Amino acid sequence: MAADHLFARPGKRSRWTSMLLAVCAGLVAAASAARSQDAGFRAFLDGMKPEAVAAGVPAALFDKTVAGLEPDLTLPDLVIPGKAAAPERGQAEFTQHPTEYLKPERLRSLAALGVELARQHKATLDRIEREIGVDRHGLLAIWGRETAFGTYKLPHDAIRVLATQAYLGRRKEQFRAEFIAALKLIAGGIPRTDLKASWAGAVGLTQFMPTEFAKHGFDFDGDGKVDLVRSVPDALASAARQLKDKGWVLGQPWGYEVIVPPTSSCALEGPPGSRKLSAWIALGFKRPGEKPFRDKDLDAEAYLMMPAGGYGPAFLALENFQVIRRYNTSDLYALFVGDLSDRIAGGTGFSGRWATVAQPTTAMVTTLQTRLQALGYPVEKIDGKIGSNTRRQIGAFETDAGLGAKCWPTAEVLKKAETRPPRRAGQP
């Protein structure tokens, strides 16, 4: 449209002038906010310098590393002043339904590659089992889950990610420690270009946070440096050291898929219900297809784990499942690693099937957790996450309310919880 025609009538001139003024005002406000943000970030970095230097980071290296550094405002889970906080994204392990997270086709593809890599790295894996005491299939499965055996390339600069999260993230104190640990890695000779990271700052083939890198990094190939980016021996041995330090039991499976007998339910789920595997067998729990349990595991402690409640397969989790959760605190993560490790060892995946059930929103789970806690059920955390404690308490509530335990947050359960009076003291 020609300019003379566009501004021909007074009414149109007024309307377009107002729009242009509004756009200009918005640009000015955005620029002002960016300048303010940059100034705040600069002040934050200046404030971090004494802490970093006290931790052993040379002052000159600190200055060089953060020179020109800007916050990455595209990262998730930031709380930006003047901007409405977005819902916490969190990790896929806490936001996806098991059917989405545990896709059989993905597990089959990774397992096929894992079998080949087990052959390629047999000597390294033999040595890790012998010297560190961690089983090869679990290690390979962690490598597969974290970076698809190195085929997934981490997109972020760890220094920028960690500084941004320490400045604007939801867990600032945690990321302050990780930021300083990353600076110390650079001071120790790790090239910054090797510190490519996830959005949360984890680096290397097996995804180590910098504090874990510093604690467990292992020069297993003997070349005089710890290389978690290019050296498979270093990456796998470092992961093995972390797992061993967290309690790995050599030769023990992560757990067993089981059939829940009619006399039991998902309300027994979670570590509080832990008992010997032999005791679960006495309650009527069996493996699919009547496969026997290993005799050597009968005295091992196990707990019932049902990540989709009564809408999916059930498992008895042994100590190594807990160890995997200490590597990444998620039932689905540990289950993915367990399933993949079994497939690499020659297994075929789970027999049980996941039923179609809606994945609730974080807000809905938070509301239900809050209500169950108010009703007297011991919900450990109001965090919007569907962990074993939340599922266990839902199952207990459903049993009390006569719904039949399914241990999954649904609209029906929430509606029932919102209309149910609190339990009286001494009432079961």
Side-chain angles (χ1 to χ4, degrees):
M1 181 178 293
D4 58 345
H5 181 68
L6 179 62
F7 294 107
R9 295 192 301 272
K12 184 168 289 188
R13 182 188 305 118
S14 175
R15 194 162 53 249
W16 279 92
T17 299
S18 298
M19 291 175 62
L20 288 171
L21 288 172
V23 169
C24 290
L27 292 173
V28 169
S32 176
R35 285 193 298 272
S36 174
Q37 192 70 55
D38 290 346
F41 187 57
R42 191 73 255 161
F44 163 76
L45 292 174
D46 290 344
M48 284 291 299
K49 184 175 178 178
E51 187 176 341
V53 171
V57 179
L61 184 141
F62 181 93
D63 292 338
K64 178 182 177 181
T65 304
V66 304
L69 193 65
E70 296 180 354
D72 183 353
L73 303 184
T74 68
L75 296 176
D77 290 358
L78 302 182
V79 180
I80 301 173
K83 184 177 179 181
E88 184 174 1
R89 173 177 138 180
Q91 297 170 258
E93 290 85 1
F94 300 112
T95 58
Q96 292 182 351
H97 189 270
T99 54
E100 184 178 3
Y101 190 85
L102 299 163
K103 290 181 178 178
E105 58 272 19
R106 185 183 181 205
L107 284 156
R108 283 193 295 268
S109 175
L110 287 173
L113 182 53
V115 169
E116 175 58 31
L117 290 169
R119 285 194 290 266
Q120 289 181 24
H121 299 286
K122 181 179 183 302
T124 293
L125 293 164
D126 285 346
R127 187 178 157 211
I128 287 173
E129 287 186 345
R130 184 173 62 252
E131 297 181 13
I132 302 178
V134 174
D135 300 276
R136 67 191 61 209
H137 301 118
L139 273 179
L140 288 166
I142 284 175
W143 182 17
R145 176 65 191 91
E146 292 292 358
T147 60
F149 301 112
T151 61
Y152 173 69
K153 303 303 179 185
L154 299 165
H156 300 287
D157 169 46
I159 294 297
R160 189 182 186 199
V161 165
L162 296 170
T164 302
Q165 293 286 1
Y167 176 50
L168 294 171
R170 297 176 188 269
R171 300 183 301 280
K172 292 182 176 64
E173 289 306 313
Q174 173 187 334
F175 282 106
R176 286 176 73 95
E178 297 296 346
F179 177 52
I180 290 175
L183 291 168
K184 291 178 69 175
L185 291 176
I186 295 173
I190 304 295
R192 181 171 176 176
T193 52
D194 280 1
L195 297 181
K196 291 295 184 182
S198 67
W199 67 262
V203 301
L205 293 172
T206 48
Q207 287 284 268
F208 272 43
M209 294 301 289
T211 53
E212 297 287 1
F213 191 133
K215 184 177 181 180
H216 301 290
F218 194 176
D219 174 23
F220 203 63
D221 61 15
D223 66 353
K225 61 182 180 181
V226 178
D227 183 352
L228 302 189
V229 176
R230 287 168 294 274
S231 173
V232 171
D234 286 6
L236 292 181
S238 297
R241 280 180 57 165
Q242 186 176 165
L243 291 170
K244 190 65 177 179
D245 287 349
K246 295 180 187 300
W248 188 269
V249 181
L250 181 65
Q252 185 185 86
W254 61 271
Y256 291 96
E257 183 182 4
V258 293
I259 305 298
V260 179
T263 51
S264 296
S265 79
C266 54
L268 294 177
E269 189 185 355
S274 180
R275 63 196 77 192
K276 288 186 177 181
L277 184 59
S278 58
W280 288 108
I281 296 171
L283 289 174
F285 284 75
K286 299 179 180 180
R287 297 185 69 188
E290 300 296 329
K291 296 178 185 177
F293 294 92
R294 300 192 324 172
D295 289 343
K296 65 176 67 176
D297 297 327
L298 295 181
D299 285 336
E301 288 289 310
Y303 70 88
L304 182 63
M305 201 276 295
M306 299 177 67
Y311 297 100
F315 308 90
L316 289 176
L318 304 184
E319 178 60 21
N320 282 346
F321 186 87
Q322 291 276 54
V323 173
I324 298 169
R325 288 187 80 256
R326 293 173 198 136
Y327 194 96
N328 184 316
T329 310
S330 159
D331 287 336
L332 287 186
Y333 177 91
L335 194 58
F336 187 107
V337 168
D339 189 4
L340 181 55
S341 67
D342 287 348
R343 288 171 185 263
I344 294 173
T348 56
F350 304 140
S351 298
R353 295 292 176 262
W354 308 98
T356 300
V357 59
Q359 176 74 5
T361 64
T362 299
M364 186 270 210
V365 177
T366 299
T367 301
L368 180 55
Q369 289 172 329
T370 302
R371 183 57 187 159
L372 289 178
Q373 195 176 75
L375 289 173
Y377 294 88
V379 175
E380 292 175 349
K381 293 181 181 178
I382 307 298
D383 58 4
K385 297 174 182 177
I386 315 171
S388 62
N389 173 261
T390 293
R391 294 191 297 266
R392 182 184 181 94
Q393 301 313 323
I394 291 173
F397 169 76
E398 288 174 316
T399 300
D400 293 343
L403 296 176
K406 287 293 186 180
C407 307
W408 190 255
T410 64
E412 180 187 12
V413 173
L414 178 58
K415 182 178 180 180
K416 192 77 171 179
E418 288 177 332
T419 58
R420 190 172 178 85
R423 293 187 293 182
R424 295 188 298 274
Q427 185 179 355

